[in-house]
Amino acid sequence: YVLFDSVLSSGINAEYGDACWALSYLTDGADEQIQMVIDSGVTPHLVRHLAQADVRVLTPAVRAVGNIVTGSASQTQTALDSGALSYFSALLQHHKETIKKEAVWTVSNVTAGTKDQIQAVIDHQLIPLVVTALDTADFNTQKEAAWSVSNMTANGTPEQISYLIRLGAVPAMCKLLSVRDPQIVQVLLDGINNMLEMCKQDTDHLCTIIEDCGGLDKIEDLQKHQNKQIYKLAFDIIDKYFSTEECIENEENAEQFNFQVNSTVAPEGGFNF
């Protein structure tokens, strides 16, 4: 690890890529392996290479940092404390789709962490870029974005989830409910269900958003899906939130809520509804 530290801080660009690839292999394993890399003190030097213009260095650097944040919450925090998130606005808009995919995948592992780590992603204004990727990127990148938003709905506070809704995540999620990838469909359904469960004070208008973007029709269709978990979850969502009586109540109450789709950054302390 002393060698890696020396190479990554040496200024010899030809050796950066090899060193980053080696670190990506070493961190691609159990938490114990990740911790060995962290304990070496190399993480800050690795993170600085997220600014590399040379994709031969940038690709393994993103992968290595992404591997670190697959570890425990404290290991993820080490990467965040090294300033990793400050590079991801550029990475999530990178012209090379494989870099963008790796960046979204990395964010998905951070949103699988603590509420404070999710807030750090919000504070770095990365969620609007993730929602854009969910809506418009190549399918492989969209899949990683689906995990990013679903993890956020599973681990975030109601205020953080409401912020996600404000950014227009729900129509983007619903649009992908018709894809032929059962795992992603279930991830998205889980995310929608989490939103409905967590934002109880906003459930009525959230139901309206789902219906207006065509999501309700897709969820109804998923009640006939061959995957048992998908059709059961779809049935439960319809039964709990879109039954006849529930729909009437939603229409009566929807006007008192007003989610405006925008890219405003959440204020300190989150949004209050």
Side-chain angles (χ1 to χ4, degrees), residues 16 24 28 32 119 155 183 192 195 262 268:
Y16 288 159
S24 75
D28 186 14
E32 291 77 14
Q119 189 61 44
N155 300 293
Q183 183 184 45
I192 291 168
M195 287 175 166
N262 57 63
E268 184 176 353

Side-chain angles (χ1 to χ4, degrees), residues 130-149 168-189 192 213-215 218-219 222 225 230:
V130 171
V131 172
T132 298
L134 181 67
D135 190 35
T136 64
D138 287 356
F139 183 57
N140 285 333
T141 304
Q142 286 180 310
K143 290 194 291 184
E144 302 301 343
W147 280 105
S148 295
V149 298
V170 175
M173 295 169 75
C174 290
K175 187 169 71 172
L176 289 175
L177 288 175
S178 57
V179 302
R180 295 185 178 182
D181 186 326
Q183 183 184 45
I184 295 306
V185 171
Q186 185 167 350
V187 165
L188 292 164
L189 272 183
I192 291 168
C213 73
K218 292 182 179 181
I219 296 172
L222 290 173
H225 200 279
I230 290 175

